[in-house]
Every structure is written in C-alpha cells, then in structure tokens.
Amino acid sequence: MAKSLLVTGAAGFIGANFVHYWAAAHPDDTIVAYDALTYAGNRANLDPLSGNARFSFVHADICDYDRVLNTLREHDTDTIVHFAAESHVDRSITGPDAFIETNVVGTHCLLKAAREVWLAGDGMDHRFHHVSTDEVYGSLAPDDPGFFEEQKYEPNSPYSASKAASDHLVRAYHHTYGLQVTTSNCSNNYGPYHFPEKLIPLCITNILRGLPLPVYGDGSNIRDWLYVEDHCRGIEKVLEGGRLGETYNIGGNNEWNNLAIVELLCDQLDARFSDEPGLSARYPDAPQAGGTSARDLITFVEDRAGHDWRYAIDAGKISGELDYSPHETFETGIARTLDWFLDNEDWWRPLLNRT
Ligand code: NAD
C-alpha cells in the first residue's frame, strides 16, 4: 500500500538525498518535505522534484507544534522520517542553544504530535523513524571494536549530547505510549548536496578556489565514511523490515583519518585536472591550473575542543537482520562526489558565504 511520508529536514544534505532516493524507488508514495530552511537548508536541493504531483514542501519549524499537527492531519501522514537537526559539531561548541531547541525540543514536539494523531482512539498503523548519529557513543581507542547498538551512550559535544537526548525521547515514546518507532545511528556521510562547511565538500570547494585546506590537530582523527545514498538505502531497509522499538547502526566499514581523506581528495583532483584540460579554464584559481598540487594547500590548524578521536560502526545487526550492505566503495563514492561538485558549481558557490 502506498505510504504518506513526512520527511523533516528534507532541504538539508541527507534529507534531500533521501527524498530523491525515495521518490525514485517508491513512485506511488506521497512525500511532504518539512523544513525550516535554516542556513543549512536549501530549497534548491528539492528542485528536481518540482514537477512531481506526489511531492510538496512545507516551510516550517519542527518546534511549531500546531503546524506539525496540521501537516500530519492534512496529508494523512503514516510515516515520519526525521532528519531535521542542527548538525555541525563546531557550531554546537560556539552556540549550543539552537541544538537543544531543534534536536531535543523539536524532536519532542514531533513525537507529541505523532502521538496525538496516530494513537488517538483506536490508533492506526504508523512509523516514526528517527535518524541519529554514531557520535552519541563517544570516542573509540585505536583497537576498540566498532560501536554496536547496546553500547553505552557517552556523547562528548553539545551536538552529540542533543542527539543522544532525542534518541532517548524516541525510545521513551515507544516504551511509554506504544509509538511505533525505529532509530538508526549512522557514521559520517558524504556525497551530493553536502553543505560546504563539512570536511569533504569544504576541501573540494576550497581546492577549486585555491584556498587553504584546514586540518584539525595532526589530522589523525578517524571517521567511518558512508556514501549518502547507501545511508538512504539503510533507512529504507529499517523502514521496511526493522523491528519496532529497535535501533540499527549503519556504517561503511570504511575508516579513514582526516589527513588521509584530504590527501586523497587532493590527489584525485590533481588527476582530474591533468586528465581534463578544460577544468583549468573553469577553475583558474585551483592550484592545478597553475601547475602545482592541491596538497600545497594543506594547513594544520588548532584542534577542535573535545575532539573525539575515532568513530567506527559495527553494522552486523543491520547486515544480518535486514541484509544490508553499502553499494559504493570509497573509490566509487568519492568519484561520484567529485563529479557532482565539479558539475554543480552553481549549487555550491551561493552557499559559501552563508552563516
Ligand atoms: P543538515 O544540517 O545538512 O540539514 C539539516 C536540515 O534540517 C536543514 O535543511 C535545516 O534547514 C533543517 N532544520 C534545522 N532545524 C530545523 C527546525 N527547527 N525545523 C525544521 N527544519 C530544521 O544535516 P544532515 O547532515 O543532512 O543531517 C541530517 C540528519 O542526519 C541529522 O539528524 C544528523 O544528526 C543525522 N546524521 C548526519 C550525519 C552526517 O554525516 N551528515 C551522520 C549521521 C547522522
């Protein structure tokens, strides 16, 4: 039976990729994209769906209880996929309030509205899927196994603490009220529509403009990277086969330290410029256009306060229970990402001065 989805944060990086993925894979479903369009939200991310009669956009805040309630009722929503969040760790260090407001209060507002609409009277079949992060588990030592679902929560930044709080609220609404919830905790994503304040798009767009590539500390911090479409595929698996009340960790089994990623991006773009001479004319400020390597732009900067050293995911539960595995390798995923950024300068340039 066709579903009616409300996707929060759909104008952001992962939300937009999810909406594109879902619309293509489930053309009979209805999708309402719900987004406050903060600095990280971009209406243009949803432009490819503008002619789709089953797609609509609501410009609103998840903290606006009446608006959420009315939207759920108006669209007969039976599934919420909740991406909306303040998501940048650095911003959570300089300004944590917005993280508490959106990630904690906003998630609670959605849960309250979902309970009101879905559990009233005899209730109806529904799903509240909450998208969370591996950062709630804290930091790993070099030889520790990857994060698993029963791992103790040890969030270290205001961002991860606010996401941890939202995970607990989602869990509590299941246990206390019987709301039909699932949660996924994913590792670092990369791919199209990635806002250029995050490491990979920041490095790509800085290389193309000949600007320094800032690397925190000595660059040894490790993350587990997943191509964004593989994250969307994982959420689809959980929505279709996940057990209610359960959490699934989604990861790429793909650990890289920050310096190695920056060097990889430099080397890949150096190779692109030598293979495609037209790139030097399109990006004259890139070091390759002047005959030097992007690696010359690498600049070590003071480490982030409380910087977690290593994240890695044990994806055994989702792969064993739901037959999930990523489709992209890091090589193919990075190649697709570079193609996208090289071809979509009109998308990323206007975002560079947003605060
Ligand atoms: P993003 O910052 O790119 O997008 C967030 C979106 O939420 C934006 O469109 C923004 O306008 C919207 N938003 C923010 N506050 C809102 C509010 N109060 N009401 C309505 N909309 C609001 O974030 P992202 O990287 O796409 O992350 C999406 C989700 O996935 C987040 O919950 C994040 O914690 C989680 N996650 C992200 C990653 C990652 O690597 N990016 C990894 C694991 C989990």
Side-chain angles (χ1 to χ4, degrees), residues 8-15 34-42 60-63 82-88 102 131-134 159 163 185-190 193-195 197-198 231:
T8 72
F13 164 45
I14 309 177
Y34 188 107
D35 200 297
L37 297 180
T38 67
Y39 81 95
N42 189 354
D61 196 312
I62 56 168
C63 298
H82 175 34
F83 293 94
E86 287 294 333
S87 70
H88 191 38
T102 287
V131 180
S132 192
T133 166
D134 59 355
Y159 164 63
K163 292 297 291 186
N185 294 74
C186 189
S187 58
N188 280 43
N189 285 215
Y190 67 98
Y193 302 109
H194 205 176
F195 194 79
E197 67 181 349
K198 306 275 172 74
H231 183 187

Coordinates of all heavy atoms in Angstrom, one line a residue, residues 8-15 34-42 60-63 82-88 102 131-134 159 163 185-190 193-195 197-198 231, ligand 1:
T8 N 11.3 15.4 7.6 CA 11.7 16.6 8.2 C 13.2 16.8 7.8 O 14.0 15.9 7.6 CB 11.6 16.6 9.8 OG1 12.6 15.7 10.3 CG2 10.3 16.2 10.2
G9 N 13.6 18.1 7.7 CA 15.0 18.4 7.3 C 15.3 18.0 5.9 O 16.4 17.7 5.5
A10 N 14.2 18.0 5.1 CA 14.4 17.4 3.7 C 15.1 18.4 2.8 O 15.5 18.0 1.7 CB 13.0 17.2 3.1
A11 N 15.3 19.6 3.2 CA 16.1 20.5 2.3 C 17.6 20.5 2.7 O 18.4 21.3 2.2 CB 15.5 21.9 2.4
G12 N 18.0 19.7 3.7 CA 19.4 19.6 4.1 C 20.1 18.5 3.3 O 19.5 17.9 2.3
F13 N 21.3 18.2 3.7 CA 22.1 17.3 2.9 C 21.5 15.9 2.8 O 21.1 15.4 1.7 CB 23.5 17.2 3.5 CG 24.4 16.1 3.2 CD1 24.5 15.7 1.8 CD2 25.1 15.4 4.2 CE1 25.4 14.6 1.5 CE2 25.9 14.3 3.8 CZ 26.1 13.9 2.5
I14 N 21.3 15.2 3.9 CA 20.9 13.8 3.8 C 19.4 13.7 3.5 O 18.9 12.9 2.7 CB 21.2 13.0 5.1 CG1 22.7 13.2 5.5 CG2 20.9 11.5 4.9 CD1 23.1 12.5 6.8
G15 N 18.6 14.6 4.1 CA 17.2 14.7 3.8 C 16.9 14.8 2.3 O 16.0 14.1 1.8
Y34 N 9.4 18.8 5.0 CA 9.1 19.7 6.0 C 10.4 20.3 6.5 O 11.2 19.6 7.0 CB 8.3 19.0 7.1 CG 7.8 19.9 8.2 CD1 6.4 20.2 8.3 CD2 8.6 20.5 9.2 CE1 5.9 20.9 9.3 CE2 8.1 21.2 10.2 CZ 6.7 21.5 10.3 OH 6.2 22.3 11.3
D35 N 10.6 21.6 6.3 CA 11.9 22.2 6.6 C 11.8 23.7 7.0 O 11.1 24.4 6.3 CB 12.9 22.0 5.4 CG 14.3 22.1 5.8 OD1 14.8 23.1 6.3 OD2 15.0 21.0 5.6
A36 N 12.6 24.1 8.0 CA 12.6 25.5 8.4 C 13.5 26.3 7.5 O 13.6 27.5 7.7 CB 13.0 25.6 9.9
L37 N 14.3 25.7 6.7 CA 15.3 26.4 5.8 C 16.2 27.3 6.7 O 16.3 28.5 6.5 CB 14.6 27.2 4.7 CG 13.8 26.5 3.7 CD1 13.1 27.4 2.7 CD2 14.6 25.4 3.0
T38 N 16.9 26.7 7.6 CA 18.0 27.4 8.3 C 19.1 27.6 7.3 O 19.0 27.2 6.1 CB 18.5 26.5 9.5 OG1 19.2 25.4 8.9 CG2 17.4 26.1 10.4
Y39 N 20.3 28.1 7.8 CA 21.4 28.3 6.9 C 21.8 27.0 6.1 O 22.3 27.0 5.0 CB 22.7 28.8 7.7 CG 23.4 27.6 8.4 CD1 24.5 27.0 7.8 CD2 22.9 27.1 9.6 CE1 25.1 25.9 8.4 CE2 23.5 26.0 10.2 CZ 24.6 25.4 9.6 OH 25.2 24.3 10.1
A40 N 21.5 25.8 6.8 CA 21.9 24.5 6.2 C 20.8 24.0 5.2 O 21.1 23.1 4.5 CB 22.1 23.5 7.3
G41 N 19.7 24.6 5.2 CA 18.6 24.1 4.4 C 18.6 24.9 3.1 O 18.9 26.1 3.0
N42 N 18.3 24.2 2.0 CA 18.4 24.9 0.7 C 17.2 24.4 -0.2 O 17.2 23.2 -0.6 CB 19.7 24.5 0.1 CG 20.0 25.3 -1.2 OD1 19.2 26.0 -1.7 ND2 21.2 25.1 -1.7
A60 N 8.4 25.2 7.5 CA 8.0 25.4 8.9 C 9.0 24.7 9.8 O 9.8 23.9 9.4 CB 6.6 24.8 9.1
D61 N 8.9 25.1 11.1 CA 9.8 24.7 12.1 C 9.2 23.4 12.8 O 8.0 23.4 13.1 CB 9.9 25.8 13.1 CG 11.1 25.7 14.1 OD1 11.3 24.6 14.6 OD2 11.9 26.7 14.2
I62 N 10.1 22.5 13.1 CA 9.5 21.3 13.8 C 9.1 21.7 15.3 O 8.5 20.9 15.9 CB 10.5 20.1 13.9 CG1 11.9 20.5 14.4 CG2 10.6 19.5 12.5 CD1 12.8 19.3 14.7
C63 N 9.6 22.8 15.8 CA 9.2 23.2 17.1 C 7.8 23.8 17.1 O 7.2 24.1 18.2 CB 10.2 24.2 17.7 SG 11.8 23.6 17.9
H82 N 12.6 11.4 10.3 CA 13.0 12.7 11.0 C 14.5 12.9 10.8 O 15.4 12.3 11.6 CB 12.6 12.5 12.4 CG 13.1 13.7 13.3 ND1 13.2 15.0 12.9 CD2 13.4 13.7 14.6 CE1 13.6 15.7 13.8 NE2 13.8 15.0 14.9
F83 N 14.9 13.8 9.9 CA 16.3 14.2 9.7 C 16.6 15.6 10.3 O 17.7 15.9 10.6 CB 16.6 14.4 8.2 CG 16.6 13.1 7.4 CD1 15.5 12.7 6.7 CD2 17.7 12.3 7.3 CE1 15.5 11.6 6.0 CE2 17.7 11.2 6.6 CZ 16.6 10.8 5.9
A84 N 15.5 16.4 10.5 CA 15.8 17.9 10.9 C 16.6 17.9 12.1 O 16.3 17.3 13.1 CB 14.5 18.6 11.0
A85 N 17.7 18.7 12.0 CA 18.6 18.9 13.2 C 19.6 20.0 12.9 O 19.8 20.4 11.8 CB 19.4 17.6 13.4
E86 N 20.1 20.6 14.0 CA 21.4 21.3 13.9 C 22.4 20.2 13.9 O 22.4 19.4 14.8 CB 21.5 22.2 15.0 CG 20.6 23.5 15.0 CD 20.9 24.4 13.9 OE1 22.1 24.4 13.4 OE2 20.0 25.1 13.4
S87 N 23.4 20.3 12.9 CA 24.2 19.1 12.7 C 25.7 19.3 12.7 O 26.4 18.4 12.5 CB 23.8 18.4 11.3 OG 24.2 19.3 10.3
H88 N 26.1 20.6 12.9 CA 27.6 20.8 12.8 C 28.2 20.9 14.1 O 27.9 21.9 14.9 CB 27.8 22.1 11.9 CG 29.2 22.2 11.5 ND1 30.1 21.2 11.2 CD2 30.0 23.4 11.4 CE1 31.3 21.7 10.9 NE2 31.3 23.0 11.0
T102 N 16.3 22.7 18.6 CA 15.8 21.8 17.4 C 15.9 20.3 17.7 O 15.0 19.6 17.6 CB 16.6 22.2 16.2 OG1 16.1 23.5 15.7 CG2 16.4 21.2 15.1
V131 N 16.4 9.6 12.7 CA 17.8 9.5 12.1 C 18.8 10.1 13.1 O 18.7 11.3 13.4 CB 17.8 10.3 10.8 CG1 19.2 10.1 10.2 CG2 16.8 9.7 9.8
S132 N 19.7 9.2 13.6 CA 20.7 9.7 14.5 C 22.1 9.4 14.1 O 22.3 9.0 13.0 CB 20.4 9.2 15.9 OG 21.1 9.9 16.9
T133 N 23.0 9.6 15.0 CA 24.4 9.6 14.6 C 25.2 8.7 15.5 O 24.8 8.4 16.7 CB 25.0 11.0 14.8 OG1 26.4 11.0 14.7 CG2 24.6 11.7 16.1
D134 N 26.4 8.2 15.0 CA 27.2 7.3 15.8 C 27.9 8.2 16.9 O 28.5 7.6 17.9 CB 28.3 6.6 15.0 CG 29.2 7.6 14.2 OD1 29.0 8.8 14.2 OD2 30.1 7.1 13.5
Y159 N 26.5 18.9 20.3 CA 25.7 18.3 19.3 C 25.4 16.8 19.6 O 24.2 16.4 19.6 CB 26.5 18.3 18.0 CG 26.0 17.3 16.9 CD1 24.8 17.5 16.3 CD2 26.8 16.2 16.4 CE1 24.3 16.6 15.3 CE2 26.3 15.4 15.5 CZ 25.1 15.6 14.9 OH 24.6 14.7 14.0
K163 N 21.7 15.0 20.3 CA 21.2 13.9 19.5 C 20.9 12.7 20.5 O 19.9 12.0 20.3 CB 22.2 13.4 18.5 CG 22.3 14.4 17.3 CD 21.1 14.7 16.5 CE 20.7 13.5 15.7 NZ 19.5 13.8 14.8
N185 N 21.5 4.9 13.8 CA 22.6 5.7 14.1 C 23.7 5.5 13.1 O 24.2 4.3 12.9 CB 23.2 5.3 15.5 CG 22.2 5.7 16.6 OD1 21.2 5.0 16.8 ND2 22.4 6.7 17.3
C186 N 24.0 6.5 12.3 CA 24.9 6.3 11.2 C 26.2 7.0 11.3 O 26.3 8.0 12.1 CB 24.2 6.9 9.9 SG 25.0 6.5 8.4
S187 N 27.2 6.6 10.6 CA 28.5 7.2 10.6 C 28.5 8.4 9.7 O 27.5 8.7 9.1 CB 29.6 6.1 10.2 OG 29.2 5.6 8.9
N188 N 29.7 9.0 9.4 CA 29.8 10.2 8.6 C 29.4 9.9 7.2 O 29.9 9.0 6.5 CB 31.3 10.7 8.6 CG 31.6 11.5 9.8 OD1 31.3 11.1 10.9 ND2 32.3 12.5 9.6
N189 N 28.5 10.8 6.6 CA 28.1 10.7 5.3 C 28.9 11.6 4.4 O 29.4 12.7 4.8 CB 26.6 11.1 5.1 CG 25.6 10.1 5.7 OD1 24.6 9.9 5.1 ND2 26.0 9.4 6.7
Y190 N 28.9 11.3 3.1 CA 29.4 12.3 2.1 C 28.7 12.0 0.8 O 28.1 11.0 0.6 CB 31.0 12.1 1.9 CG 31.3 10.7 1.3 CD1 31.5 10.6 -0.1 CD2 31.3 9.6 2.0 CE1 31.8 9.4 -0.7 CE2 31.6 8.3 1.4 CZ 31.9 8.3 0.1 OH 32.1 7.1 -0.5
Y193 N 25.0 17.4 -2.6 CA 24.2 18.4 -1.7 C 24.9 18.5 -0.3 O 24.2 18.9 0.6 CB 22.8 17.9 -1.6 CG 22.0 17.8 -2.9 CD1 21.6 16.6 -3.4 CD2 21.6 19.0 -3.6 CE1 20.9 16.5 -4.6 CE2 20.9 18.9 -4.7 CZ 20.5 17.6 -5.2 OH 19.8 17.5 -6.4
H194 N 26.1 18.1 -0.2 CA 26.7 18.2 1.2 C 27.1 19.7 1.4 O 27.9 20.2 0.6 CB 28.0 17.3 1.2 CG 28.3 16.9 2.6 ND1 29.3 16.0 2.8 CD2 27.8 17.1 3.8 CE1 29.4 15.7 4.1 NE2 28.5 16.4 4.7
F195 N 26.7 20.3 2.5 CA 26.9 21.7 2.7 C 28.4 21.9 2.9 O 29.1 21.2 3.7 CB 26.1 22.1 4.0 CG 26.0 23.6 4.1 CD1 25.1 24.3 3.4 CD2 26.9 24.3 5.0 CE1 25.1 25.7 3.5 CE2 26.9 25.7 5.1 CZ 25.9 26.4 4.4
E197 N 30.5 23.4 4.6 CA 31.2 23.7 5.8 C 31.8 22.4 6.4 O 32.6 22.4 7.3 CB 30.3 24.3 6.9 CG 29.2 23.4 7.4 CD 28.3 24.0 8.4 OE1 28.5 25.0 8.9 OE2 27.2 23.3 8.7
K198 N 31.4 21.2 5.8 CA 31.8 19.9 6.4 C 33.1 19.5 5.6 O 33.3 19.9 4.4 CB 30.7 18.9 6.2 CG 29.4 19.3 6.8 CD 29.3 18.9 8.3 CE 28.1 19.5 9.0 NZ 26.8 18.8 8.8
H231 N 23.3 5.4 2.9 CA 22.6 5.6 4.2 C 21.1 5.6 3.9 O 20.4 5.0 4.6 CB 23.1 7.0 4.7 CG 22.4 7.4 6.0 ND1 22.6 8.6 6.5 CD2 21.7 6.7 6.9 CE1 21.9 8.7 7.7 NE2 21.4 7.5 7.9
Ligands
NAD1 P1 22.0 19.3 7.5 O1 22.5 20.3 8.5 O2 22.6 19.3 6.2 O3 20.4 19.5 7.3 C1 19.5 19.8 8.4 C2 18.2 20.3 7.8 O4 17.3 20.4 8.9 C3 18.3 21.6 7.1 O5 17.6 21.6 5.9 C4 17.6 22.6 8.1 O6 17.0 23.7 7.4 C5 16.6 21.7 8.7 N1 16.3 22.2 10.1 C6 17.1 22.6 11.1 N2 16.4 23.0 12.1 C7 15.1 22.8 11.8 C8 13.9 23.0 12.5 N3 13.9 23.5 13.8 N4 12.7 22.7 11.9 C9 12.7 22.2 10.6 N5 13.8 22.0 9.9 C10 15.0 22.3 10.5 O7 22.1 17.9 8.2 P2 22.4 16.5 7.6 O8 23.9 16.3 7.5 O9 21.6 16.3 6.4 O10 21.9 15.5 8.8 C11 20.6 15.1 8.8 C12 20.4 14.2 10.0 O11 21.2 13.1 9.9 C13 20.6 14.9 11.3 O12 19.7 14.5 12.2 C14 22.0 14.4 11.7 O13 22.2 14.4 13.1 C15 22.0 13.0 11.1 N6 23.3 12.4 10.8 C16 24.1 13.1 9.9 C17 25.3 12.6 9.5 C18 26.3 13.3 8.6 O14 27.4 12.8 8.3 N7 25.9 14.4 8.0 C19 25.7 11.3 10.0 C20 24.9 10.6 10.9 C21 23.6 11.2 11.2

